[in-house]
Amino acid sequence: MGSLTKDKFLFWLYTCFVLLILGFAIFAPWLAPYDPYDAVMRQSLQAPSDEHLFGTDKLGRDCLSRIIYGARTSLMMTLSLVAVITIVGTFIGVLAGYMGGKVDTVLMRIVDMMLAFPGIVLAIAIAGMLGGNIVNAILALAAVSWTKYARLGRSLTLKLRQRDFIAAAVTSGSRPLHILWRHILPNILPTIVVTAAMDIGTMIMELAGLSFLGFGAQPPTPEWGLMLNEGRQHIQTAPWLMLYPGAAILIVVTIFNLWGDSLRDIMDPQRAN
Amino acid sequence: MVLMIVCLAAVLIAGCGGSGKKEADTKTLKVGVTNFADSLEPTENYFGWVVMRYGIGESLAKFDEKMNVQPWLAESWQISADHMTWTFKIRDGVKFSNGKPLDAAAVKASLERAFAKNKRAVTFFKYKEMKAEGQTLTILTEKPEPNMPGFLADPLFLIVDVSAEPARNFAKEGPIGTGPYMCKTFVKDKAVMVKNPYYWDGVVPYETVEIPSIDDPNTRAMALQSGEVDMAVNIAAGDIGLFNDKSKFHVDRIASLRTVLARINQQGVLGDPKVRAAFISACDRKVYNEVILKGTFIEGKAPVPPSMDYGFDQLKDPNSYNIERAKQLLAEAGWKDADGDGILEKDGKKLTVDFVVYNSRAELPIYAEAVQSDAKKVGFDVKIKTVDYNLIDKMGINGEYGLLISNITTANTGDPEIFLNWYWKTNKNGDNPQNGSGYSNPALDAKFAELSTTFDRQQRRQLIIDCQQLIMNDGAALFLGYPETNIISSTSIEGAQMYPSDYYWLTNKIKPAKK
Amino acid sequence: MSADKETILTIEKVIKRFPVAEGRMLTACDNVSLSLYQGETLGVVGESGCGKSTLVKLIMQLHAPTSGAICYRGKDLTRLTGERMRQSRRHIQMVFQDPSQAFNPKMKIKDILCEPLRNFKLIKDREAGKKAEELLRMVELPEEFADRYPGNMSGGQRQRIGIARALALEPEILVCDEATSALDVSVQKKIIELLVRIQREKNLSMIFICHDLALVSQISHRIAVMYLGNIVEVLAGDVLSKAKHPYTKALLQAVFPVKKKEGTVVRPLEGEIPSPLELLPGCPFQSRCSESMELCRREKPMLEELLPGHSAACHLLKLQSGKKDI
């Protein structure tokens, strides 16, 4: 069918871009022309030139290298964050959906409580209390973001629970854990995975945002949000300091968002769910 | 993200224009500052500085452009032969902003109030008795105080009308003082002043003065560029170049009395003098100041800045920039890189140092990151901890740091004696709370004791030079640089001037420019 | 059929009520009692909403009854909990109605078939392949199907898989819940033949739920008729034409148009099916029964044996059976 081919084509196209970005992250040591931490202070704040394609920052570090290594930092942080919230959230949601009753009520009240908190504010509070660093930023965002997967896992499980093959599993003597692992999880996984893929772009932004505010990656780590903040002081005199990290965030987030959307489209062409 | 790029574009467009010379608003003046005061209670913390900067309060004496003490609310003064009694003649015809006349009794009440409310007062001087008769105020000190007029110029001792309390809440509404302006409304982010109708020292040009606090230095610069404020205090080094157009802006920049230094905690890994010396020697302060800060700061060396004559050029820095020496000292102190990760270890502990920093002055994080980068090259792992400015004082007192950065004014009494005492005199049982670093040198304490009773100018100068050399030899602190300070104003106003003593921002000399 | 058959399962006075919105109760099964004999097929018929699906769920222990007992070989299953309840499932297995819903789309046939055995640790993983093939042969499917997914098969083939899965544990009782209703007529016949053959080979006891009276009569030794959560008549499968209860007779009318005897008037069912939410006292069929009397409105008739092997719940029939000329 015409639309199926287009969906598949787009998916593979965006997957290529994603792989390109991952390539930058993985092969950073070979691709970056300089050590991102090497401060040659006499070369402070130089405009883009042949020697430094993206210019240097206030301590004389090469911006291009810091952008490339920044891909590594951003992606590592984001992928761990997404993994955490997906696993924790889905586990809790499936548990609530399958067991029902009091367990469901208690777990969903907790979810509702967490939803009442404005996300980034809570993340800032947590990061502020525990100190600003990469791990705490991930924890802080995980604390507010797992709820989405809990609700998704629960609603998918509730729908699935009505199906005959679950009743068949019960009547043929399956234990609850076996049902969760063999019947529920494999059938909800595609939707969960697609949701997680679509979240990657958003999480890159949120983590960069926390770093920008000083609650995430700390100096001298090369991280795009942090680089944006460092560049703010020189916004008029050295605009390249903000331009390139900003562009990097824009491009990478857009690519991941498009990729996530295309993944959803090929897995579910009718967009019924 | 698209929003971000749009904002970026908008900002660049806005920044690139400047607003051109605008018509002077003759009724309202807008001053962009950074304000750390939560309230206008002059005796709390250092908030008196803000009360004075905002033109509300005045002291008995003030400092001129050369840091000489000049009369202000006191017309003249003299010291007794035994140096224990100071007599001040209070100026006639001065009224508080509520119309009440200023006399010695009012001054006495105000000074007593300051002593009662803030423990820092006694670190200036202790008095046995204060007498007020008409316009004459007499102060009997416990020991000879050579620098009394300088002390009384400190904003802690600005004169307020004590009788206005409790009807007026000084903290929320601002005190009743003698300055050209009085407070109409105050919140930390914005103060609005109105003219003091009873001002004694000339015409007050503006009906209203709005003082927004714009902590971020670049935002402050942009506010000045766009005309949102008519003048701004302390524009960051990187942004000064934006105001080169003399037809639009007037830049008044002077060498300040300030030092940017990092206090060093003598407990912890930096307690070892060799390690301290290594750390200081690893920092290429010349590059920090000449290159990164574009020469708007002077390379750090001694505690007292070169803008004052206390032997800056003669003093010898045993820990000047020398990477090899730094590495050698660390090796001698027993630090080795066992696991090849670039950070030294000893007895299983890593050479990690916490560097506490605050952001409200643009150069501080820059120094911190440059130090972090240089220190890594010899094997220190410096972790930068950014905290709010309000926490700095407390953390300094409690010693909650490995290094603590500060931009400090060194001669707030016209003389660096108090500054040196505060940070490096031994803290016995909390009698010198500002010295939370644990630094103690009996030889230095002896010099301080001598200094406190020496009146002769030359002798004082030599003692202060000696104190500095001791501090530098011990590697007691890392002196990073000496800032300039500036006031930049639109050419639509005139009279905005920066003084070495950082107390006088809003004066009645600032007025609309003549056309 | 005859009294020397062993009773393998008894449903005793089972009531099942569900709370619905606004504090009301829906009575799905109202005092249901039935017996199942070893080796027989018991058909259960009724229109949709009569409570047969709920009855199935109760028998399969997917729901617990509000009151009453379900006894397998004398042991009350409804009193079992935890592991003992799980173990009791081995004896009663089920074939589901919709073969397109009855299987996990992500599981291969061989795993589907062997899952019951693995649940009770009856086979090792490496024996799964052989066992699956054996079960496939039993339901006349090719052995290659073991590695396929159920999505690639026809409705009839899938239903055979469902039967194979149900038989994997070699249960004594097989419950077929509308097992042929989702299939084409031609396929239905084949499935019925399969079930009959298997039953004979293994001496299975079957409960066959269906709404199709004609189909049920072909396969069942006895038939129980349900209306609004009640069993209204129980009789032998081959004497369906001799049904006495007004409801059964009306159902038959719809399926087998009866040649009118001279003079008799067969009236079609009138009235509406009352709501199971608001059960009126008395006979559940009163609003649609042409013969309903004062007594019928007051008192609910119990299931009483009118003739050997033939019981019905009807006041009129009870009265009439007292007389000899029926």
Side-chain angles (χ1 to χ4, degrees):
Chain A
M1 277 191 286
S3 79
L4 200 61
T5 317
K6 176 174 154 226
D7 283 344
K8 277 208 161 160
F9 168 72
L10 281 177
F11 172 70
W12 287 113
L13 177 68
Y14 295 135
T15 304
C16 288
F17 284 129
V18 166
L19 289 174
L20 200 65
I21 296 172
L22 283 173
F24 271 108
I26 296 174
F27 296 109
W30 291 272
L31 291 170
Y34 297 88
D35 177 350
Y37 294 92
D38 185 22
V40 183
M41 297 187 204
R42 293 195 177 271
Q43 291 179 349
S44 155
L45 294 178
Q46 289 185 346
S49 64
D50 290 331
E51 239 186 69
H52 294 279
L53 280 175
F54 285 0
T56 61
D57 70 359
K58 64 174 186 277
L59 291 185
R61 298 178 291 213
D62 178 48
C63 285
L64 174 59
S65 307
R66 286 176 71 78
I67 298 268
I68 293 176
Y69 272 86
R72 213 180 231 207
T73 316
S74 287
L75 281 173
M76 259 174 30
M77 287 169 80
T78 305
L79 292 175
S80 9
L81 173 61
V82 172
V84 167
I85 58 178
T86 306
I87 293 173
V88 171
T90 307
F91 172 73
I92 292 181
V94 167
L95 206 65
Y98 190 72
M99 300 197 56
K102 286 213 180 66
V103 175
D104 183 15
T105 312
V106 166
L107 287 175
M108 283 303 117
R109 283 305 138 260
I110 295 178
V111 168
D112 287 342
M113 255 172 38
M114 297 307 298
L115 280 172
F117 283 94
I120 200 99
V121 171
L122 185 63
I124 290 176
I126 293 178
M129 280 194 298
L130 298 176
N133 60 52
I134 288 179
V135 171
N136 289 345
I138 292 176
L139 283 176
L141 279 177
V144 293
S145 311
W146 64 272
T147 54
K148 173 167 159 189
Y149 292 89
R151 286 179 129 202
L152 184 61
R154 177 178 179 272
S155 82
L156 290 171
T157 303
L158 284 177
K159 267 201 288 201
L160 215 52
R161 219 171 56 155
Q162 317 295 346
R163 299 272 293 270
D164 277 350
F165 70 84
I166 300 289
V170 174
T171 59
S172 49
S174 307
R175 289 194 175 86
L177 214 59
H178 170 87
I179 295 179
L180 285 176
W181 184 251
R182 209 57 175 79
H183 293 286
I184 305 262
L185 219 51
N187 282 295
I188 67 172
L189 219 49
T191 312
I192 300 279
V193 166
V194 170
T195 309
M198 290 171 72
D199 259 352
I200 292 181
T202 312
M203 287 304 152
I204 294 179
M205 274 278 272
E206 303 253 315
L207 284 167
L210 275 184
S211 299
F212 176 80
L213 294 170
F215 298 105
Q218 295 295 314
T221 314
E223 198 276 341
W224 296 333
L226 185 60
M227 288 162 71
L228 271 179
N229 190 20
E230 289 171 344
R232 247 183 354 113
Q233 296 185 18
H234 310 279
I235 189 176
Q236 298 198 52
T237 49
W240 59 89
L241 292 181
M242 283 192 90
L243 193 62
Y244 294 109
I249 294 178
L250 178 62
I251 291 172
V252 169
V253 168
T254 307
I255 288 179
F256 270 100
N257 281 344
L258 288 171
W259 176 73
D261 283 355
S262 70
L263 180 62
R264 181 202 61 202
D265 288 346
I266 59 164
M267 294 196 68
D268 180 26
Q270 305 101 313
R271 272 153 233 179
N273 289 349
Chain B
M1 193 54 222
V2 181
L3 189 63
M4 181 126 227
I5 294 289
V6 167
C7 290
L8 191 61
V11 147
L12 285 172
I13 292 170
C16 289
S19 60
K21 181 170 175 170
K22 58 175 197 159
E23 285 298 299
D25 184 340
T26 51
K27 289 241 157 52
T28 307
L29 175 69
K30 297 191 187 130
V31 184
V33 304
T34 149
N35 170 34
F36 60 87
D38 297 323
S39 80
L40 288 178
E41 170 49 60
T43 60
E44 189 179 333
N45 201 309
Y46 288 84
F47 299 170
W49 290 35
V50 176
V51 176
M52 192 174 275
R53 283 169 174 173
Y54 285 12
I56 302 175
E58 299 174 322
S59 298
L60 292 181
K62 67 177 177 189
F63 295 104
D64 65 13
E65 314 81 57
K66 296 198 179 12
M67 283 307 288
N68 296 319
V69 182
Q70 299 291 349
W72 208 5
L73 290 178
E75 195 174 84
S76 63
W77 47 77
Q78 44 186 167
I79 188 171
S80 64
D82 65 354
H83 295 163
M84 299 284 281
T85 306
W86 281 89
T87 309
F88 289 88
K89 168 85 172 44
I90 308 300
R91 196 181 291 275
D92 285 316
V94 178
K95 291 203 175 96
F96 285 105
S97 55
N98 58 4
K100 188 152 174 267
L102 178 73
D103 59 12
V107 173
K108 174 166 178 277
S110 180
L111 292 175
E112 284 171 342
R113 181 178 185 275
F115 271 88
K117 279 173 162 288
N118 190 329
K119 294 201 190 78
R120 203 169 76 242
V122 296
T123 66
F124 287 88
F125 65 92
K126 290 195 185 138
Y127 65 94
K128 281 206 242 170
E129 204 188 340
M130 253 198 258
K131 286 198 283 237
E133 260 178 62
Q135 296 299 104
T136 305
L137 177 74
T138 316
I139 304 181
L140 253 91
T141 57
E142 281 192 4
K143 57 179 189 59
E145 299 287 355
N147 202 10
M148 182 64 89
F151 292 161
L152 291 175
D154 191 287
L156 179 62
F157 300 117
L158 62 80
I159 307 300
V160 297
D161 179 11
V162 171
S163 71
E165 280 186 306
R168 188 175 176 99
N169 180 331
F170 282 7
K172 289 206 178 94
E173 303 171 76
I176 298 293
T178 58
Y181 294 98
M182 52 190 287
C183 175
K184 181 167 169 215
T185 61
F186 174 80
V187 288
K188 190 170 176 186
D189 291 337
K190 185 152 174 189
V192 178
M193 303 287 133
V194 289
K195 181 173 170 157
N196 172 4
Y198 295 100
Y199 190 56
W200 60 276
D201 193 17
V203 174
V204 178
Y206 290 99
E207 296 295 322
T208 312
V209 181
E210 290 177 14
I211 312 181
S213 175
I214 310 172
D215 282 344
D216 181 80
N218 312 104
T219 315
R220 207 156 61 241
M222 285 194 250
L224 181 58
Q225 272 181 306
S226 69
E228 208 180 301
V229 294
D230 304 305
M231 55 184 268
V233 176
N234 269 319
I235 297 298
D239 292 325
I240 291 191
L242 299 166
F243 300 99
N244 282 337
D245 186 345
K246 291 204 166 56
S247 67
K248 295 204 183 104
F249 297 106
H250 178 67
V251 176
D252 188 25
R253 57 198 281 197
I254 58 167
S256 73
L257 301 177
R258 289 176 164 268
T259 300
V260 181
L261 62 91
R263 296 179 238 179
I264 300 182
N265 198 333
Q266 313 285 321
Q267 292 111 10
V269 294
L270 290 166
D272 180 341
K274 287 200 169 131
V275 175
R276 268 202 312 278
F279 192 89
I280 298 176
S281 318
C283 297
D284 186 356
R285 290 172 272 177
K286 190 158 183 281
V287 164
Y288 302 169
N289 292 289
E290 282 178 22
V291 179
I292 303 181
L293 290 168
K294 300 190 183 150
T296 55
F297 281 65
I298 301 168
E299 182 185 347
K301 176 177 155 188
V304 179
S307 55
M308 287 192 279
D309 179 21
Y310 287 101
F312 188 82
D313 294 321
Q314 297 98 295
L315 286 162
K316 281 199 173 332
D317 184 2
N319 295 316
S320 52
Y321 181 55
N322 187 334
I323 292 212
E324 290 315 312
R325 178 166 173 267
K327 289 185 182 166
Q328 199 191 344
L329 283 167
L330 286 168
E332 281 174 29
W335 291 87
K336 295 189 204 330
D337 186 8
D339 55 9
D341 64 350
I343 304 298
L344 304 183
E345 298 97 20
K346 181 173 154 183
D347 302 331
K349 267 184 68 180
K350 284 203 172 282
L351 191 53
T352 306
V353 177
D354 271 353
F355 196 158
V356 176
V357 174
Y358 61 102
N359 275 342
S360 42
R361 287 183 185 266
E363 74 279 359
L364 302 178
I366 294 178
Y367 275 128
E369 289 178 41
V371 165
Q372 180 189 47
S373 179
D374 271 350
K376 178 116 185 290
K377 293 182 182 150
V378 302
F380 284 91
D381 181 19
V382 175
K383 294 210 185 325
I384 296 183
K385 271 177 72 173
T386 307
V387 303
D388 198 70
Y389 172 77
N390 288 320
L391 297 172
I392 289 288
D393 209 35
K394 191 154 164 293
M395 291 177 86
I397 290 174
N398 294 339
E400 294 164 4
Y401 57 88
L403 293 152
L404 183 85
I405 205 166
S406 307
N407 176 321
I408 305 182
T409 189
T410 58
N412 43 358
T413 54
D415 178 304
E417 178 188 355
I418 302 259
F419 159 66
L420 293 170
N421 266 278
W422 271 358
Y423 295 104
W424 293 291
K425 189 169 111 172
T426 304
N427 183 9
K428 286 198 192 64
N429 298 323
D431 69 351
N432 188 20
Q434 290 288 22
N435 180 4
S437 69
Y439 174 75
S440 175
N441 182 337
L444 183 61
D445 290 341
K447 295 266 177 198
F448 283 141
E450 203 186 325
L451 182 60
S452 69
T453 55
T454 305
F455 279 74
D456 180 71
R457 290 255 143 241
Q458 281 303 103
Q459 284 177 332
R460 286 185 67 82
R461 181 174 174 279
Q462 189 53 51
L463 280 169
I464 289 177
I465 293 176
D466 294 341
C467 290
Q468 290 184 80
Q469 190 64 66
L470 282 171
I471 291 170
M472 289 162 71
N473 291 347
D474 279 343
L478 171 59
F479 300 104
L480 290 161
Y482 314 102
E484 290 183 347
T485 180
N486 62 59
I487 274 189
I488 303 185
S489 49
S490 154
T491 42
S492 65
I493 64 172
E494 63 180 34
Q497 187 183 0
M498 183 43 99
Y499 289 81
S501 166
D502 206 359
Y503 306 144
Y504 319 111
W505 291 357
L506 178 59
T507 67
N508 70 329
K509 307 225 178 345
I510 301 174
K511 57 187 190 225
K514 297 192 246 307
K515 295 204 181 88
Chain C
M1 268 190 299
S2 45
D4 61 358
K5 284 264 175 134
E6 194 190 342
T7 306
I8 193 171
L9 184 78
T10 52
I11 299 164
E12 294 165 21
K13 297 204 178 84
V14 162
I15 299 178
K16 180 64 183 171
R17 294 203 191 94
F18 294 102
V20 294
E22 294 157 29
R24 302 201 291 180
M25 295 297 255
L26 181 136
T27 305
C29 290
D30 191 8
N31 213 343
V32 171
S33 296
L34 266 186
S35 301
L36 178 69
Y37 301 120
Q38 166 101 58
E40 75 158 354
T41 301
L42 172 68
V44 177
V45 287
E47 296 167 301
S48 35
C50 71
K52 45 191 208 298
S53 316
T54 310
L55 185 62
V56 165
K57 294 209 174 81
L58 291 170
I59 296 172
M60 299 310 296
Q61 302 184 77
L62 290 170
H63 289 156
T66 310
S67 69
I70 298 178
C71 296
Y72 166 73
R73 291 190 184 280
K75 232 174 17 184
D76 187 357
L77 298 174
T78 61
R79 297 242 172 283
L80 295 177
T81 53
E83 178 62 14
R84 293 174 74 192
M85 198 246 269
R86 193 181 75 97
Q87 288 290 336
S88 74
R89 292 190 182 281
R90 289 175 64 172
H91 310 298
I92 314 178
Q93 288 291 302
M94 179 168 160
V95 180
F96 289 80
Q97 172 173 357
D98 186 354
S100 67
Q101 295 289 317
F103 308 109
N104 182 345
K106 302 256 185 266
M107 273 175 91
K108 284 191 181 164
I109 299 290
K110 75 169 172 215
D111 293 318
I112 291 173
L113 292 176
C114 294
E115 186 185 23
L117 296 161
R118 283 192 177 122
N119 283 339
F120 293 102
K121 298 201 176 35
L122 293 171
I123 57 163
K124 296 196 182 44
D125 286 347
R126 52 197 152 109
E127 297 167 355
K130 288 206 84 56
K131 187 69 184 172
E133 285 168 14
E134 187 188 309
L135 288 166
L136 284 167
R137 277 197 298 273
M138 180 169 64
V139 293
E140 297 158 10
L141 284 175
E143 289 168 4
E144 300 83 60
F145 276 28
D147 279 311
R148 284 220 216 159
Y149 288 90
N152 299 340
M153 299 156 76
S154 74
Q157 287 170 329
R158 281 190 224 142
Q159 201 60 304
R160 287 173 192 265
I161 299 284
I163 294 169
R165 173 174 67 184
L167 295 172
L169 287 171
E170 295 176 35
E172 296 206 56
I173 302 173
L174 189 67
V175 177
C176 298
D177 182 11
E178 306 268 9
T180 53
S181 309
L183 304 173
D184 293 336
V185 177
S186 52
V187 181
Q188 280 182 5
K189 192 160 171 295
K190 292 250 183 284
I191 297 295
I192 299 286
E193 283 169 7
L194 176 66
L195 284 169
V196 169
R197 177 175 68 77
I198 290 177
Q199 186 196 28
R200 252 186 236 131
E201 277 173 26
K202 297 183 187 285
N203 201 23
L204 262 182
S205 315
M206 255 195 339
I207 301 180
F208 196 85
I209 286 92
C210 196
H211 60 271
D212 183 345
L213 214 48
L215 195 59
V216 159
S217 64
Q218 288 175 31
I219 187 176
S220 310
H221 297 101
R222 289 187 307 143
I223 296 179
V225 182
M226 275 185 86
Y227 182 73
L228 234 68
N230 295 277
I231 307 279
V232 298
E233 189 165 16
V234 182
L235 72 168
D238 52 0
V239 297
L240 202 51
S241 50
K242 297 216 181 78
K244 292 192 187 313
H245 194 282
Y247 176 62
T248 319
K249 291 210 288 221
L251 277 186
L252 282 170
Q253 195 54 342
V255 179
F256 305 112
V258 154
K259 289 193 226 146
K260 285 191 214 158
K261 274 192 193 151
E262 296 235 11
T264 54
V265 179
V266 180
R267 289 185 218 126
L269 274 174
E270 283 170 358
E272 294 168 0
I273 307 178
S275 158
L277 285 171
E278 289 155 8
L279 286 183
L280 300 163
C283 177
F285 194 54
Q286 61 182 263
S287 57
R288 297 165 86 187
C289 184
S290 50
E291 323 287 340
S292 84
M293 314 179 294
E294 172 66 30
L295 181 58
C296 305
R297 278 183 270 283
R298 266 197 341 255
E299 203 182 297
K300 189 168 131 179
M302 293 287 111
L303 200 61
E304 310 252 5
E305 194 173 45
L306 304 171
L307 298 168
H310 187 159
S311 6
C314 177
H315 290 302
L316 186 61
L317 291 172
K318 184 172 169 189
L319 284 170
Q320 286 175 344
S321 74
K323 301 178 188 144
K324 295 229 172 100
D325 51 358
I326 287 287

